[in-house]
Amino acid sequence: MLTELKINNFKGIGSCSIKDLGQVNLFIGKNDSGKSTVLEAAYYLFQELTRPPHLRATMSKRSDVPAGISELWFNYETSSPVEISTDFDGVRINWRIILKHALPENTVSSNLFAGRTQVILLGENQYRERDFVPLAATTGNANIANIKESVEFRDKLTQYSSNMFFIDCTLKSHIREIESILARFKRVPKLESGFGEILDDVYGKGRNWEFIPQLEYPEEKRLAIKEAGRQKYFAGFGDGLRCCVGILGAAMSVKSTAIFIEEIESHQHSGSLSKIVKHLVRISRENHLQIFLSTHSKDVWESLYRGVYLDDEKREKEEFRCFLLERNPDDGKVTAECTNDLQKITQALQ
């Protein structure tokens, strides 16, 4: 599990340090306070470790226009490296991105290191600056064998990294990805019925879901949910239900990893949102997931604090962290205050 995150010179963040991360982490703050960038920093560090090359995805996530490599750096100042570090199960993992000015083309060096008592190279990737074409990639997982208790650490790190999800408001359009997750549930009766019960609890429908032939393309089977006595294609339902299926389906499909979710409240009625959050926390406990949420909505905080933890103070202290983020636009310094102060939280979410 991640317990600490430090960021320097990454996108809109000049510097940021977040300590005492828990199992369920909520990031709140005004617009441009750095919430999404914090989630991206943690997620893409691990993706660069397990699925290089991933710098292109880092740059293109929020825009459909070409992005220059300098946009990875705070204020486009490439003279100092981008640095992101985490504490993962007591081992510090560092990601450094360096722009090397050289002929005939500038290159970007992406290096990952880990260390408990010594520094070990995890991976080194080289990219051509202009279009992110990988020039060289090295997966160095074998090199962590020198770390004390390395077998256990390697297994945990691989599991945690390779099964992550980053979920944002575009999820509702990723029908094939959602269908592929639920197709796996069909092979496990407990998951199939359990997921149907969740949908029925949240939306009053979905207990009966199935894959049926598409009318115009019968060779393709599409996810369908029964409503008013007939099966209707999942793609035709509202954005809220589609987002819910994607979020909770992703959480149920993995174990011992992390789920990063931007604005879980998107397209949700407050009553549905409260139930989604409760199910997400329950699933995170069962599947040993670490949850990272960013929000502008007081409903999300209330769904967690009042809906899940109000009568369970012990669980709240063990699991839940609410971080209030504030960003200085001049130097990009982001402060992350772990707080349960109702007045501060209310002001931040107004």
Side-chain angles (χ1 to χ4, degrees), residues 24 59 74 79 147 153 156 184 189 202 235 251 253 261 276 347:
V24 179
M59 297 305 302
F74 175 68
S79 56
I147 296 178
F153 173 75
K156 283 185 178 180
R184 297 198 296 269
V202 178
S253 70
I261 306 174
I276 292 170
Q347 289 177 347

Side-chain angles (χ1 to χ4, degrees), residues 282-342:
R282 176 184 58 79
I283 294 167
S284 75
R285 292 169 180 168
E286 294 174 354
N287 289 1
H288 306 290
L289 304 178
Q290 194 170 12
I291 305 296
F292 297 85
L293 306 168
S294 67
T295 188
H296 296 108
S297 171
K298 190 178 179 183
D299 287 341
V300 176
W301 177 80
E302 290 188 340
S303 295
L304 281 164
Y305 184 73
R306 301 188 189 281
V308 176
Y309 295 111
L310 184 62
D311 298 322
D312 198 341
E313 185 176 349
K314 181 180 178 182
R315 284 269 199 179
E316 180 196 352
K317 289 182 178 180
E318 291 176 348
E319 293 181 353
F320 181 48
R321 305 287 186 272
C322 179
F323 293 95
L324 171 58
L325 270 56
E326 294 182 342
R327 176 180 172 272
N328 184 326
D330 294 326
D331 60 9
K333 183 176 181 179
V334 174
T335 59
E337 178 186 2
C338 186
T339 182
N340 59 4
D341 186 308
L342 179 58

Side-chain angles (χ1 to χ4, degrees), residues 230-265:
R230 63 177 300 174
Q231 297 281 20
K232 298 183 179 179
Y233 295 122
F234 169 69
F237 283 93
D239 292 345
L241 185 144
R242 285 189 282 162
C243 285
C244 172
V245 170
I247 291 169
L248 297 182
M252 288 181 66
S253 70
V254 292
K255 294 183 179 181
S256 302
T257 188
I259 307 287
F260 299 84
I261 306 174
E262 285 188 325
E263 299 180 16
I264 192 173
E265 69 273 15

